Structures are given as structure tokens and as C-alpha cells.
Amino acid sequence: RAYTFQTFRAFAIAAGLIFMATTLPKTLSPIAPEKAHVRQAGRYIKTLKGSETFRVFVFDDRITFYGDVKAIFLSDLDERKLLEKIRQRDAFYLATELKPWREHFPRIASDPERYGLIVAKEFPVLDKERLVVFRVS
């Protein structure tokens, strides 16, 4: 029995729709769903932003992207330089995941309040870690 072009076309369209329906949910999932805390922190910082130029110390500039603020990269600083920038109030906030924070700035991370960093908000991360937003005071 010979199939007509119309039958083949209907079959091809149905197969394509079934394929899309089964694969689309997987292709629309976020590339890195574990980074939702970065977006949340950025949106939180955006609510704090005033009209002046707003700067935030970060390791991950996606935080400042979502917050629509200027980044000052912590990876470019050592503890002495960071303390100097905190004293000069070069940024209003510091946002970081705790693991790189503790590794790169162990002395400041051990007692952030002593160095003028007050916890403003925390965001949960996978594996019982946190992203912390500090207010520079």
C-alpha cells in the first residue's frame, strides 16, 4: 500500500510535535539551577540601590549584573587592600559565597564585624553553604 505525501507530512508533523513535547521541558531548564542564589542576591542589592553610583565588592559579577550595579572584584584584592577600600567606603556592600570568602580573606572572614562588615542578608546555596551580603559600615 502506498502512502500519499499528505499522510507522510501528517506523520512527520506529529512525530516532530511529540519529540518537542518530550524534550522541551529539559531544554528550558536553567543551565545552572544551583546559581539561583546569585540572581536572588543581585535582585536584593537592586532594591538597596540609591540614585548615586552604587558599587559592590564581589567575586562573581553576575550578582552585580542582576543588581544593575558596579562591581569591585575581590579577586583583584588582598586583605590589606580590601581593608583599605572598606575604610574608604569604595563600595556600599560586599556579596560573596562563604567558601571563596574564607579562602581568600581568612582573617576578615573570621570576624567581619570587626572590620566594618555587617550581615545584611543571607541566601542559601547547595551543600549547606550560603551567599552573604554584607553592608559596609
Side-chain angles (χ1 to χ4, degrees):
R1 167 174 164 187
Y3 293 103
T4 66
F5 178 72
Q6 306 294 9
T7 307
F8 174 76
R9 186 173 162 204
F11 177 74
I13 289 172
L17 289 173
I18 291 169
F19 176 77
M20 285 177 48
T22 57
T23 60
L24 194 58
K26 292 182 188 325
T27 60
L28 290 179
S29 65
I31 293 172
E34 71 275 4
K35 292 293 185 180
H37 60 279
V38 171
R39 186 174 54 253
Q40 291 170 341
R43 288 179 179 163
Y44 170 71
I45 287 170
K46 192 172 191 172
T47 67
L48 305 171
K49 183 172 114 173
S51 58
E52 71 251 38
T53 303
F54 204 84
R55 295 171 306 279
V56 178
F57 295 115
V58 292
F59 282 111
D60 187 342
D61 67 339
R62 290 177 294 178
I63 296 169
T64 54
F65 170 79
Y66 288 113
D68 192 27
V69 296
K70 185 176 177 355
I72 299 176
F73 289 100
L74 291 167
S75 55
D76 296 340
L77 306 172
D78 59 20
E79 283 192 317
R80 184 186 57 77
K81 287 180 185 173
L82 176 58
L83 289 173
E84 183 179 310
K85 289 189 171 291
I86 289 171
R87 277 190 223 99
Q88 294 172 351
R89 296 192 48 93
D90 281 0
F92 298 94
Y93 287 85
L94 185 151
T96 181
E97 291 177 352
L98 290 181
K99 185 177 179 182
W101 171 242
R102 289 180 186 132
E103 290 172 359
H104 205 77
F105 302 103
R107 187 177 72 177
I108 301 170
S110 68
D111 190 6
E113 287 185 17
R114 177 178 176 199
Y115 299 102
L117 299 172
I118 309 302
V119 174
K121 187 146 179 131
E122 296 184 17
F123 298 89
V125 180
L126 291 179
D127 302 327
K128 300 179 184 176
E129 273 295 316
R130 296 181 315 244
L131 184 151
V132 178
V133 176
F134 295 98
R135 182 174 44 83
V136 176
S137 61

